[in-house]
Structure formats: C-alpha cells, structure tokens
Amino acid sequence: MSVPVSGYLPLRYVLTDTLVVRTSFDPLRIDSEHVIGGRAQRGMLAAALRRAGLRREEREWVADGGRIRFATAHPRLEPGADPDLPGLSRALVAYPPPAHLYTLGKDSDTMADVFGDADPTVPYRAVRDPITLDRTLRARVRTTTERYLGRARLGDPDRGMPFFTTALDSGQVFEARWQLLASDRAALSELARRIAEVLADAEGTLTLGSGGTRAHGGVRVAPVDPDDLLRPDRAEEVGRRAWAAGRPFDLLLSSAALVVGAQGQYAPGALVPEVSALLERWLPGVGVEVVAAHVESTVIGAYHRGYHGPMAQRRAAAPGAVVRLRLDRDLPTELVRAIEADPLGDRVIDGHGQFVLVDPPPPGPLPPAPETVPLVGRPAGTVALTDGRTVAARTSEGWDDPGLAALYDELLWNAAAGPVRDHARFLARRSARRLEPLTPSLVGRLREVVTHPHDDADAALEALANVVDGDRSPGGAHKGLHDRAVRALSRARVVSPGSAPIPVRGWLSGLSGGEAAVSWWEANRPRPAYGPAYAEAIAVVDLSVPEGLPSREDPSGLSERALEWERRTAARLCLTLVSSWLAEVARVLRARDVPRGGGGWR
C-alpha cells in the first residue's frame, strides 16, 4: 500500500463580523474560544460545497476524510498591524503556550523553562497567552461581551430572558494550515488549486461558528500566498528542523489530542505512551528517552447543527502539552516532516492531535515577549477598515476639499459629544460632597443662562461668565448674581481627577469665547489617564490616524488635526461640558433634598 503524499495549505482568515465558536452548552452564557477549531472550518467548507452543488467534492473532501485534515486556526501577527512593533519583518503565528513556559515572579514578564533548573524560592506563573514558536511575541485576542433579551426555547415562549455572548472582535486575523493528502505531487497541487477556487467563488457567503443568528461568523478566507499554495511544514519554519543524536527537542501539541488509555477510554495522561508509539512506528528500534512531560486535561465537545443537539464530550490532552524527547540517532528534516504529518489520537480530520517539533528554550531567563493584537497588517499608505480590508489612505492634498473638511468636523463632533457629556456627569458625581453650598434654584438659574437662545456658543459662554462674576450692568439679558449666590459658588468645589479641588466660581468665571475657551478646554478636557473614552472615540473616526488608536505623541492622545479641530470647536465643547455638568449637579442636589421616610414635606 502506497503512502499518500502530504502537504499543507496555509489559509488566512479575516473576521468581517464578530465570531462565536461555542465552547459550552449553557444557553444563557456563551463564551467563544480564542482559536477557530477545525470542526467549525469543516462545516464552513461543507456549506460552501453544498451551495455550489459540488456533492462529489463534499463527500470526498469533508465526509470521507481521506483528502483534507482540517486544522485549528491560530492568531496571525502581521507586519504593520501594530504601530508599536515596526520591526516585524514577516507574519508570525501564535500557538498555544508550551506547558513548561512560566513567568518569573508575580508581576514579571520575564519567562523561564521550568523543565530546566527552576529556583524553588521564586514564584512562577504559567504563561496563558498564545505565543510564537520563537517566543518573541504574544497574541492578545480581542473579545466583546454583549447582553441581549431573547426568547427561551423551553417554558413560556413569550417571556424574554437575558442572554450573554462573548465573541471575537471583527478585523482580527487567524491562520490555519489544512493538511492535504494525495497520491502524488501533481494531484496534491491540483487539490490545493481546487480548494482555493471553491473558497474564492464563495467569498462573501462564508460563515464560521454560530453564524446563523445575530450576524456572527462572517469571514474572508484566502490562501496566504496565492502564487505558492503549498508548504512542506505544519508551522512556519522557526529554528532548526533536524536534530543530532542525543540533542533534546520538544513535541508541542498545537490542538487537543483525543488519545486512548490502557483501559480503552479517552485519557489525557496517555499522551506520552502515544508519542512513544508514534516514534516506534517511524523509527523502529530507536532508543527514545522522555526527558520531561507536562500534559493538562481539557474537554472536547461540539454542537451538531444538523441534529440540533450537543455531541458527546470527551476528555483530551489540552493544547500546549509538551513532551521533551531525546533520541540515540539523528533526526533529519524529511523524517521530522513525516512524523508531524501523522497526528496523534482520534478525530484527526477535525484537526485534533496536531503537533510540531521545536527546539527547547535556551537555559536561563528569557526576555519578555511583548503583546500584540492579531489585526490586519497594512502596507504603507493604506488604512485598515473594521472588517479587515485595506484601502488607500487619502493624501494630505485632499484636506482642502470643503466637503471633506465638513465631514471631518461632523465625524469628530459626533464622536466627542457623548464622552464629553459622560465626563461632565462624572465630575458632578465626583464633586457631590463638595457642592453642599449650592441650591437647585441657583443651579437652575445658571442653566437658564446657557440654554438661552444665544447667537453662538461664544455668546453663551460670555453671558455665563458675566452672571457668575456678578455683573449687574444694565441692558444685559441676564442679571448678575447677588452676593449670597456668589459666596455659595465660591465655597462649592469642583473635584477633578489629578488636580486639587477648585471653587466653582473660579472654574466657571474663566469661561468666555475665543481664545479663553481654548485655554479653558485645554485645562479641563478629559485626560487619557483618567477618561480614555474621549481620545479613543475621536481616534476611531479621525481620518488622519490610520490605525484608529490614540496618539502617543501628545499627552491629550489626539492627533495634530484633531487638536486643530478642538481649537476651532473649543467654545462648543466647553458649552457642552458645562451644560451637562449643571444638569447633573441639579439632579444630584434634588436627590440630596428628597425627604426621608413617608409623609411628604412638613
């Protein structure tokens, strides 16, 4: 019987919607895995083939399991995706952290191999973030939890119930390497070409996980390199791919392995004997020494959408399990690839039991591996959209377009208004105990001043400043405050985070139109250290910030164009902050004056 030829088809997944790969069967609380399992990808391909009417391919590729072995998709870290990592020269994939990799100390990022010489006096903490095989980067997968009301399938169908879903955010990138099997190299290349064609024809219709409800699961799938589809290795080559006799190497489990123990049941602890049996098949009579091993247990389950019910759960060896081995003979590259092409345990078509052979970490502490988000890498001069697509960035000459300038101003204002109002309410609640001298009637009078139909925001601020300063000049639309009200404003305090409390009168009297509003706003805008929502909201819609993140060059977190917009819109921002603050202060004071107990006022 001839041994089939094996190769790997690297596929790049870009999430265009939030993604939920269900990990539990609690209908009220659904949490998504941080990787995309092979079974979900198998269902995605089956649905695409059925829609295209390719029933023969559906049977051969998906049902029979003799042509394609699906693989877990792991976070892909691409150049240009993270502005803090400009030196990343090529894309790297983050795999489950090896079980022997720990951080030194409680709060340290320095890593160490506990299979080596571990100091018993130092506390260790296991690394839980996915990490690249060369241990240079860690991946931080972004998730969002949403709460919504839905109808229960059991009980009263008219009664709404709260549901929670934690999903992977859109715009993130993953990579999977499907293992293809064929009779020869020509047939292998043809199979890869046909799969790429099917995925390209199904673009825009592919979904993963719980894609049938709540608009989850949209994804764009394409080969990593359309001009060179196949790869000889299960993972991108990192370090050596051959080991001399007596040199240790690690077998790192990249997906859960369903291995059977001596009692005929699934037992994660049987991974080490399974590895020994695997080497015995490929290297009969070789001396195998298990230097160290660390295997943790996990539960493998699935929801069968065809039968509308959960599948049986099984205990499996968790991804990240490590078996450190030493052989008494050389292990060449060809044999390494042949061993990696033979997964461990059962259900290998769903991507279970896959592993890679890698070098152990060097002795001694390892430098900290920085975290990065698996976002779409963008070439210079492009902008990444929320669904992962990249479009050309607008050149600086286009800012002279009046239509673009008006759109830019409107985008920034709509993004800033909400966080400014939230910041005003935060200041009012934070200052509640220092507002005792104020009364609802006094605050109401100030609110009348700012809500009066003035010509513009500058006029409203000047009128407020005149009233607060006690200006009793005749002819004004609003009379100045009497001495008692002025003293109350002087005794009340505004408590702003990061600065000492200041009198309310002094805080408000600095308001005026023009440059005074610019200075007042620069002193009172939400600071990123205490209220990052303002800078983050502006950065998302700022057309001059390609990555959509707050600027690190200015303490305000804003770009140069956003700061210029602030100076032009300072009076309107100040008026929004002050009017929202007065409204919240009035609410706080009314709550303070509510009578305790029954009976009403006496």
Side-chain angles (χ1 to χ4, degrees), residues 417-438:
V420 169
R421 295 188 181 100
D422 292 341
H423 181 65
R425 288 188 284 266
F426 165 74
L427 289 179
R429 291 191 293 267
R430 183 182 178 89
S431 310
R433 298 191 178 203
R434 308 298 296 271
L435 300 176
E436 291 295 332
L438 301 183

Side-chain angles (χ1 to χ4, degrees), residues 5-6 73 77 79 81 94 104 149 218 230 248 251 266 271 281 288 292 339 370 399 440 455 498 530-531 581:
V5 177
S6 174
L77 311 177
L104 294 170
L149 289 177
L230 291 173
L251 183 147
Y266 289 115
L271 180 66
R281 288 198 305 271
V288 180
I339 293 174
W399 291 102
D455 293 336
Y530 305 102
W581 183 83

Side-chain angles (χ1 to χ4, degrees), residues 10 33 42 45 57 80 104 152 210 225 253 276 369 373 387 396 410 433-434 461 478 486 524 533 564 568 586:
E33 283 275 12
R42 186 182 179 188
L45 181 62
E57 286 81 357
L104 294 170
S210 301
D225 187 356
L253 205 61
S276 300
V373 180
D387 63 356
S396 58
E410 192 68 20
R433 298 191 178 203
R434 308 298 296 271
L461 294 178
H478 303 278
V486 171
N524 293 277
E564 180 185 352
R568 289 187 282 107

Side-chain angles (χ1 to χ4, degrees), residues 483-536:
D483 295 339
R484 182 178 178 182
V486 171
R487 288 195 299 269
L489 288 175
S490 300
R491 291 197 304 269
R493 295 292 186 268
V494 175
V495 182
S496 180
S499 60
I502 58 176
V504 173
R505 185 188 180 196
W507 188 61
L508 295 178
S509 62
L511 279 170
S512 186
E515 290 298 322
V518 175
S519 301
W520 193 90
W521 178 253
E522 289 178 352
N524 293 277
R525 73 154 63 91
R527 303 178 187 176
Y530 305 102
Y534 174 72
E536 290 175 354

Side-chain angles (χ1 to χ4, degrees), residues 310-593:
M311 298 177 64
Q313 293 185 337
R314 297 286 186 259
R315 281 284 168 186
V322 174
V323 181
R324 184 160 296 175
L325 302 163
R326 184 185 287 119
L327 306 182
D328 61 359
R329 57 155 287 182
D330 294 345
L331 193 60
T333 302
E334 293 76 12
L335 196 52
V336 169
R337 290 170 174 167
I339 293 174
E340 287 182 346
D342 191 2
L344 298 166
D346 295 343
R347 286 172 58 181
V348 297
I349 186 176
D350 288 337
H352 294 306
Q354 297 180 349
F355 61 89
V356 291
L357 303 181
V358 294
D359 265 330
L366 302 174
E371 287 185 339
T372 182
V373 180
L375 299 176
V376 174
R378 55 179 182 84
T382 61
V383 177
L385 304 181
T386 55
D387 63 356
R389 292 178 297 166
T390 56
V391 296
R394 193 176 182 95
T395 59
S396 58
E397 291 79 5
W399 291 102
D400 297 332
D401 184 352
L404 177 62
L407 171 64
Y408 182 76
D409 290 353
E410 192 68 20
L411 285 173
L412 294 188
W413 173 255
N414 291 337
V420 169
R421 295 188 181 100
D422 292 341
H423 181 65
R425 288 188 284 266
F426 165 74
L427 289 179
R429 291 191 293 267
R430 183 182 178 89
S431 310
R433 298 191 178 203
R434 308 298 296 271
L435 300 176
E436 291 295 332
L438 301 183
T439 61
S441 61
L442 174 57
V443 175
R445 183 174 178 184
L446 297 178
R447 290 183 64 192
E448 290 178 0
V449 176
V450 296
T451 57
H452 184 80
H454 299 280
D455 293 336
D456 52 24
D458 295 285
L461 294 178
E462 291 176 359
L464 178 63
N466 292 335
V467 171
V468 170
D469 290 338
D471 185 6
R472 296 191 177 92
S473 57
H478 303 278
K479 295 182 180 180
L481 300 178
H482 293 282
D483 295 339
R484 182 178 178 182
V486 171
R487 288 195 299 269
L489 288 175
S490 300
R491 291 197 304 269
R493 295 292 186 268
V494 175
V495 182
S496 180
S499 60
I502 58 176
V504 173
R505 185 188 180 196
W507 188 61
L508 295 178
S509 62
L511 279 170
S512 186
E515 290 298 322
V518 175
S519 301
W520 193 90
W521 178 253
E522 289 178 352
N524 293 277
R525 73 154 63 91
R527 303 178 187 176
Y530 305 102
Y534 174 72
E536 290 175 354
I538 288 182
V540 169
V541 300
D542 191 346
L543 301 179
S544 66
V545 181
E547 63 273 8
L549 298 174
S551 172
R552 296 174 176 83
E553 299 177 358
D554 191 274
S556 66
L558 305 181
S559 66
E560 293 184 5
R561 292 196 176 274
L563 290 172
E564 180 185 352
W565 168 81
E566 267 196 340
R567 287 189 288 271
R568 289 187 282 107
T569 325
R572 192 178 178 188
L573 290 169
C574 294
L575 185 61
T576 301
L577 177 61
V578 171
S579 60
S580 300
W581 183 83
L582 291 172
E584 184 66 15
V585 167
R587 190 195 66 80
V588 170
L589 295 178
R590 286 195 299 269
R592 179 196 65 183
D593 294 339

